[in-house]
Amino acid sequence: MKPSASPQTRRVFFLSLPIFAELLLQLLVGNVDQFMLSHVGTAAVSAVGNGNQVMHVIVIVLETVSSATTILLTQNLGAGKAGEKCGEIATVGVALGAIFSILVGLVTLFLPHVLFTVLRTPAEAFDGACLYLRIVGGTVLIQGLYIELCAVLRSRTLLKEVVVASVVMNCLNVAGNAVLINGWLGLPRMGVAGAAIATVLSKAVGLALVVWLMWRKCDIRLSLRHLRTFPAETCKSLLSIALPSGTEALSYNISQTFILRFINLMGTTVIATKVYASMLANVAYVYAIAVAQATQILIGYMLGARKLDEVERRVWSTVRIALLVSELLTLLIFLFCDPVYSVFTPDPAIHALGRQILMVEFFLEIGRGLNIVMTRVLTTAGDVWYPVIVGIISMWLVSVIGGWLLGHGLALGLVGIWIAMACDECIRGALFVRRFRRGGWRQRRLVQ
């Protein structure tokens, strides 16, 4: 950081680094499965890609509950309300995450064929996708608890500790994939099933680590006594943030699922390109998420203490950082796209199509960077319904319907679908910036 940077900018930067490392490692946990299966064939990659698309929807909803927990905890801490109140918020957040995880786990365990029939998953990838989702989705409670406990640790800025858990989890996942997919150490070659089992085992170890970290380093204590007398107000406060945010996130991911349904009609080569292109796009915008999360933690404290002018300065600085880094990373990936794609596959058709997708990514990342920052800011400030309404309208009209018209109607294929998604992100980003500039968020309060 340059010497002229403000103390708050430096703090956001240093807070964002462990979050960035954690998010990058989380991406690897899912994407390593696809990378290590690439030598098995495109059907295996497509199977895990479809399975991870469903899991991504589930995880996003879990993260909205955890985000609500972080928002309430940071604002209460900023307002000087620690102790029992924070323990109650954390306990209720974990309970809500666990209930959702159990319900969704039952669906993914017993009805995966219904989900992949709706997605029109190709026949050669259908059974593998069902198997992967039964194993990973059926044990989603482990991931739900892990996400919630990490949210509590983040509210206390114990970010390096969360990174340690992610590093251990990721390393175990890579080792487990190598052993179970390839049949090392005398074990049978398990392919897709091996990737799923390795993912679950690594997440279980990650959960054990964050439980230990909660006990050793965090002063916020979970207790069942907070649930004996139903904490209606706390539950209402969490749901008032989580339900709108979850609705928007769920709508976005269902829209992405419909887009995947369109892509599944184009064949396994296009599906594999979509999987690889999405993996690279994740790398491009992951720092934007990290710096937005770091900013969300800080402005939670600021809003609790009613330091509103500091909030506005912090937000615009974060927007500049997020856009700059996302565009630079996209440029770097574009310049080295052929060597990068060669890591996954030698197929020249995938290389050519992937290069076209990266051209569109330059525009898509501008809108996505704005969305990532502004959605978190507006939600933290209590303006939760505006991002939901705008998001649902734009993503379905522009991204889904526009994707169908450009991809199939005008025969632009995957590039047309990517153009529609870029237009959706840019429209929403512009509307969110306009909403924040108007300043209505200043009159809202989540904590008195």
Side-chain angles (χ1 to χ4, degrees):
M1 301 296 293
K2 59 184 179 180
S4 60
S6 69
Q8 288 290 4
T9 298
R10 287 195 295 270
R11 190 178 180 196
V12 166
F13 174 71
F14 288 116
L15 280 176
S16 70
L17 290 180
I19 298 175
F20 174 68
E22 179 201 349
L23 290 172
L24 199 58
L25 288 167
Q26 284 180 3
L27 284 174
L28 288 174
V29 169
N31 292 333
V32 158
D33 293 343
Q34 297 169 74
F35 170 70
M36 299 187 77
L37 280 168
S38 59
H39 70 279
V40 177
T42 55
V45 174
S46 298
V48 175
N50 276 262
N52 277 335
Q53 181 70 40
V54 176
M55 284 303 303
H56 190 59
V57 174
I58 297 168
V59 170
I60 286 294
V61 176
L62 286 169
E63 287 179 346
T64 60
V65 179
S66 73
S67 180
T69 303
T70 300
I71 290 169
L72 283 186
L73 285 174
T74 53
Q75 292 203 23
N76 274 276
L77 290 167
K81 299 179 181 180
E84 287 292 300
K85 183 60 178 177
C86 287
E88 181 181 296
I89 293 169
T91 302
V92 174
V94 170
L96 289 174
I99 291 169
F100 175 79
S101 298
I102 292 169
L103 293 176
V104 170
L106 291 174
V107 174
T108 56
L109 185 61
F110 294 109
L111 299 173
H113 56 283
V114 175
L115 298 173
F116 293 119
T117 299
V118 172
L119 283 175
R120 294 186 180 178
T121 301
E124 60 268 31
F126 191 91
D127 290 340
C130 288
L131 178 61
Y132 184 86
L133 190 61
R134 279 197 174 99
I135 297 171
V136 177
T139 56
V140 73
L141 177 61
I142 295 171
Q143 192 162 4
L145 294 174
Y146 174 85
I147 290 171
E148 275 295 323
L149 294 179
C150 285
V152 179
L153 292 172
R154 286 192 202 98
S155 71
R156 269 317 206 178
T157 64
L158 295 170
L159 305 175
K160 294 178 183 177
E161 288 77 4
V162 176
V163 172
V164 170
S166 291
V167 169
V168 173
M169 187 168 65
N170 186 64
C171 290
L172 287 175
N173 188 65
V174 173
N177 277 333
V179 172
L180 297 177
I181 291 174
N182 300 304
W184 293 354
L185 303 178
L187 296 173
R189 298 183 65 180
M190 300 177 68
V192 171
I197 293 170
T199 298
V200 172
L201 291 177
S202 66
K203 291 183 187 300
V205 173
L207 175 59
L209 281 174
V210 295
V211 168
W212 181 79
L213 289 168
M214 280 285 298
W215 176 62
R216 288 295 301 270
K217 296 202 171 187
C218 187
D219 59 352
I220 298 174
R221 298 299 177 193
L222 306 179
S223 176
L224 290 176
R225 60 187 170 82
H226 293 306
L227 303 177
R228 288 173 187 164
T229 302
F230 183 67
E233 284 301 316
T234 299
C235 189
K236 180 181 176 182
S237 297
L238 282 170
L239 291 176
S240 69
I241 302 170
L243 284 179
S245 301
T247 300
E248 191 271 340
L250 188 61
S251 176
Y252 174 78
N253 281 279
I254 291 175
S255 72
Q256 291 298 302
T257 302
F258 268 81
I259 290 171
L260 179 62
R261 190 173 183 233
F262 304 157
I263 294 170
N264 281 338
L265 299 174
M266 301 177 185
T268 55
T269 298
V270 176
I271 297 170
T273 305
K274 186 269 179 188
V275 171
Y276 299 140
S278 295
M279 289 167 61
L280 296 178
N282 288 341
V283 174
Y285 71 79
V286 69
Y287 184 75
I289 298 175
V291 75
Q293 283 191 13
T295 300
Q296 184 178 35
I297 293 169
L298 282 186
I299 67 173
Y301 281 92
M302 292 175 184
L303 288 167
R306 304 306 293 167
K307 298 178 180 179
L308 302 183
D309 290 335
E310 291 184 28
V311 169
E312 192 156 358
R313 289 194 296 270
R314 175 70 267 135
V315 169
W316 294 126
S317 178
T318 297
V319 166
R320 290 192 292 271
I321 294 169
L323 293 182
L324 177 64
V325 175
S326 294
E327 290 298 294
L328 287 176
L329 286 173
T330 302
L331 177 61
L332 190 64
I333 293 169
F334 178 75
L335 292 175
F336 296 96
C337 63
D338 282 326
V340 171
Y341 277 113
S342 296
V343 173
F344 303 108
T345 175
D347 190 337
I350 292 178
H351 286 220
L353 183 56
R355 194 178 303 109
Q356 295 176 57
I357 295 301
L358 284 171
M359 292 288 289
V360 183
E361 273 293 316
F362 284 103
F363 301 97
L364 191 150
E365 292 306 328
I366 294 173
R368 181 146 52 193
L370 291 172
N371 285 333
I372 288 169
V373 176
M374 285 300 172
T375 300
R376 287 184 178 275
V377 169
L378 292 173
T379 302
T380 304
D383 191 3
V384 293
W385 280 109
Y386 183 80
V388 175
I389 295 169
V390 170
I392 291 174
I393 293 172
S394 177
M395 65 185 63
W396 285 95
L397 287 180
V398 181
S399 193
V400 176
I401 296 177
W404 172 261
L405 291 175
L406 292 176
H408 288 273
L410 296 180
L412 295 178
L414 189 61
V415 175
I417 289 174
W418 231 263
I419 291 172
M421 292 193 296
C423 292
D424 166 45
E425 296 282 1
C426 290
I427 289 170
R428 283 189 286 139
L431 290 174
F432 293 157
V433 168
R434 180 171 173 267
R435 178 74 167 189
F436 182 76
R437 282 186 179 276
R438 288 190 166 187
W441 55 272
R442 288 173 170 267
Q443 281 70 53
R444 300 175 184 270
R445 297 194 72 169
L446 295 175
V447 176
Q448 298 301 317

